[in-house]
Amino acid sequence: MQSHGGGNSRKQQFRERLGVLRETAVKRHLPEGRWTRRHWIHASLFTTIGVLMATIVPGFSSAIQAPVSQPRNTLLLELPELSAARQAGTAGDSWQVVRVKPGQTMGAIFEELGIPAATLHRILENSDAKKALTRLKPGTEIAFDLPVTGSLRTLRYDRDPSHRVELVVGTDKITERVIARETTTRTVVLSGKVGRSLNRSARKAGLTSANINSMTDEIFKYDIDFNSDLGPDDRFSVVVEQTWREGELISTGPVQAATFTVDGKLYSGFRFTRPGGKPEYFTAAGRPLKKNFIRMPIAYARMSSKFGARRHPVLGTMRMHKGVDYAASTGTPIMAAGDGRVQFAGWQGGYGRTVILDHGRGHTTLYAHMSRLGKIKQGQRVAQGTVIGYVGTTGLSTGPHLHYEFRINGVHRNPLSVTMPPPEPLSGAQLAAFRTYTSNALARIRTVEDIIYADVGPAEDAAKPATAVASAKPAPAKKNGKG
């Protein structure tokens, strides 16, 4: 370690060197017996530099010294042993919460916690517990009341959002206790701008993956091309029901209503169930959004060849192209363009792996060059949107793509221009009930959009609406999901 005396000697050395430099400069530049103004300036400058160096350099010398490590001593202390009563503890004072990992089983969890397998077997004798604990989803929380002895006292899990089950493990039997947990369901409006990514902005706004898929694959897929139509300032608003428990959001329901504004044009869709039917989405006028045929039977693809005469890319001859080609990566899912029956599924010459669907009234569609077929078989009925195969390059093909044909009574028609009669709209009492529902949903959406988009300019961040939605007034809460 450098002592303070060493620092003083270093200062002395700088002073001596400064004196030598000053004397040499004076002798070199000073005429006999007289100093000029220039000489006084030089002398003052050298003096100032010398003082600064004498002050700063020793400080650097001490600053870069390595710190001296101080020796440490470890002292072992003996702790008193726990009493038998303390080891046994009281029920509920030793909870350990485990979050299930992908692929993890109850047997593996019990083994990690050091709980005997015999205890697990006793618990699984309860039919409800067996049903809940043998099909664990990643992220599921299970709690164990384990005293220091390692003997399981209580196992806790959620049967459903509003009920928790506790299994008290006794010496002779296992007692089940069901605890009701209060939940609150609110109807909210989640809104946002497309920004750089619709998926990212929608997730920031609070929508689930299922909600986003409903917008893109059910409600607006007939009117909006989500690959090319969207701009960063286009916006969406969605009405959903959210279920909360003890201040935590535990689930978000399906889309009840949605609007999408693209380049200033408003599109809307509302969920409604006909008597004896299943939920569908309708326009504000009560017309089903679901068309007889999907505009594109494949998502996230680009059109690589149109309907009409062209030079065949493999044969090199001019011939009629009787369908539309969509280029996409191998393995991209291909959907049924409409409800129908599988007329053919297999290999068909230059088409490669092919599926033909019969939609009735003389309408058929053909899907060719598949890498593999979906889980379908000839004669099976499929619903619109069912995955019937995957993009490939089988048959006469130069690259992975879908060749899609549309035929009416055996005559090839352009899939992009063919018109079909619209599905049957709502009428009578159904339409009246629907209009009441839609007016309420639209009022909610307009209220929220008037608040969060009133002063939003083009440069505003797309995530801002998602924050503003939280201040919108929700619908009256419903306890335990009942209104």
Side-chain angles (χ1 to χ4, degrees):
M1 177 181 291
Q2 183 75 33
S3 65
H4 293 291
N8 293 332
S9 62
R10 194 180 298 272
K11 291 181 180 179
Q12 183 64 30
Q13 291 175 6
F14 275 110
R15 292 193 184 97
E16 292 174 358
R17 290 181 183 178
L18 177 62
V20 173
L21 290 172
R22 186 187 302 165
E23 184 178 351
T24 302
V26 170
K27 288 180 180 180
R28 182 176 301 174
H29 299 287
L30 183 63
E32 285 284 337
R34 189 176 61 180
W35 278 35
T36 65
R37 178 184 177 87
R38 180 180 180 185
H39 296 144
W40 282 107
I41 294 174
H42 286 176
S44 300
L45 179 61
F46 278 117
T47 302
T48 303
I49 294 174
V51 172
L52 290 174
M53 293 179 65
T55 303
I56 296 174
V57 173
F60 278 114
S61 174
S62 60
I64 62 176
Q65 293 173 5
V68 178
S69 60
Q70 297 292 336
R72 296 182 180 180
N73 296 323
T74 303
L75 181 63
L76 298 177
L77 298 176
E78 292 186 2
L79 297 176
E81 293 185 0
L82 291 174
S83 64
R86 185 68 187 88
Q87 291 184 30
T90 58
D93 68 348
S94 304
W95 285 109
Q96 296 186 38
V97 179
V98 175
R99 188 179 293 273
V100 178
K101 302 174 183 176
Q104 195 173 32
T105 63
M106 279 301 293
I109 295 174
F110 269 60
E111 185 177 353
E112 288 181 8
L113 296 176
I115 305 174
T119 304
L120 175 60
H121 294 154
R122 290 181 60 197
I123 290 173
L124 294 182
E125 289 177 358
N126 181 305
S127 58
D128 289 340
K130 183 176 182 179
K131 182 179 179 180
L133 301 177
T134 54
R135 298 179 180 179
L136 297 175
K137 295 181 179 180
T140 301
E141 287 188 354
I142 303 175
F144 300 82
D145 183 13
L146 279 170
V148 293
T149 58
S151 178
L152 179 64
R153 275 194 299 240
T154 309
L155 175 74
R156 185 176 70 198
Y157 63 91
D158 290 336
R159 175 193 290 173
D160 53 53
S162 57
H163 294 90
R164 170 170 285 175
V165 176
E166 289 188 355
L167 299 176
V168 182
V169 181
T171 305
D172 301 327
K173 65 177 183 177
I174 294 179
T175 305
E176 180 183 85
R177 182 165 61 236
V178 179
I179 303 171
R181 306 180 72 187
E182 184 177 355
T183 61
T184 302
T185 301
R186 305 187 184 102
T187 301
V188 298
V189 179
L190 306 178
S191 186
K193 281 190 175 183
V194 171
R196 294 183 179 180
S197 166
L198 171 61
N199 186 71
R200 185 186 309 167
S201 299
R203 294 304 294 263
K204 283 184 178 181
L207 297 175
T208 65
S209 297
N211 296 151
I212 298 171
N213 290 337
S214 291
M215 281 201 304
T216 59
D217 299 342
E218 286 186 81
I219 304 174
F220 301 116
K221 69 177 177 180
Y222 304 99
D223 301 306
I224 302 174
D225 186 342
F226 286 93
N227 297 313
S228 60
D229 290 350
L230 298 185
D233 289 326
D234 295 335
R235 63 178 186 255
F236 57 87
S237 294
V238 179
V239 179
V240 294
E241 286 189 344
Q242 292 182 336
T243 301
W244 294 77
R245 182 185 63 206
E246 299 170 5
E248 178 186 5
L249 176 63
I250 58 175
S251 66
T252 300
V255 175
Q256 300 297 321
T259 62
F260 216 117
T261 304
V262 178
D263 196 22
K265 184 176 181 181
L266 178 67
Y267 299 92
S268 60
F270 304 88
R271 196 170 190 258
F272 189 76
T273 304
R274 302 176 194 254
K278 59 182 181 179
E280 300 177 64
Y281 288 98
F282 297 82
T283 67
R287 295 189 176 277
L289 281 172
K290 178 181 177 180
K291 304 295 191 295
N292 286 329
F293 291 92
I294 299 175
R295 179 180 177 184
M296 286 178 60
I298 181 172
Y300 311 111
R302 64 177 179 84
M303 186 186 304
S304 56
S305 185
K306 298 181 179 180
F307 183 88
R310 66 162 188 176
R311 185 176 298 277
H312 196 279
V314 177
L315 302 177
T317 58
M318 291 296 297
R319 58 189 301 179
M320 183 67 177
H321 188 228
K322 299 179 180 180
V324 175
D325 290 347
Y326 293 103
S329 302
T330 298
T332 302
I334 301 170
M335 300 175 289
D339 297 341
R341 180 180 57 83
V342 180
Q343 186 182 90
F344 177 85
W347 191 278
Q348 191 174 103
Y351 285 125
R353 288 191 181 88
T354 303
V355 171
I356 300 176
L357 300 181
D358 183 357
H359 305 281
R361 295 182 295 178
H363 298 86
T364 59
T365 52
L366 179 144
Y367 315 78
H369 305 308
M370 294 181 177
S371 58
R372 60 190 177 96
L373 303 179
K375 296 179 180 180
I376 59 172
K377 58 184 179 179
Q378 193 163 324
Q380 175 184 342
R381 296 202 65 84
V382 295
Q384 185 181 77
T386 302
V387 175
I388 57 175
Y390 301 86
V391 169
T393 184
T394 55
L396 291 178
S397 171
T398 57
H401 72 283
L402 165 67
H403 174 77
Y404 173 56
E405 294 184 4
F406 193 97
R407 304 174 185 175
I408 300 179
N409 296 322
V411 179
H412 291 85
R413 303 285 294 274
N414 186 349
L416 303 180
S417 61
V418 66
T419 58
M420 297 294 297
E424 182 181 354
L426 296 173
S427 60
Q430 294 181 25
L431 181 59
F434 175 78
R435 283 177 173 168
T436 301
Y437 163 70
T438 56
S439 62
N440 292 333
L442 277 177
R444 292 178 185 274
I445 292 175
R446 289 193 183 112
T447 299
V448 171
E449 290 195 348
D450 286 346
I451 295 173
I452 62 179
Y453 295 122
D455 300 318
V456 175
E460 293 288 341
D461 183 69
K464 183 176 180 181
T467 305
V469 168
S471 64
K473 294 182 179 180
K478 296 185 289 184
K479 301 294 184 181
N480 294 325
K482 296 179 181 179

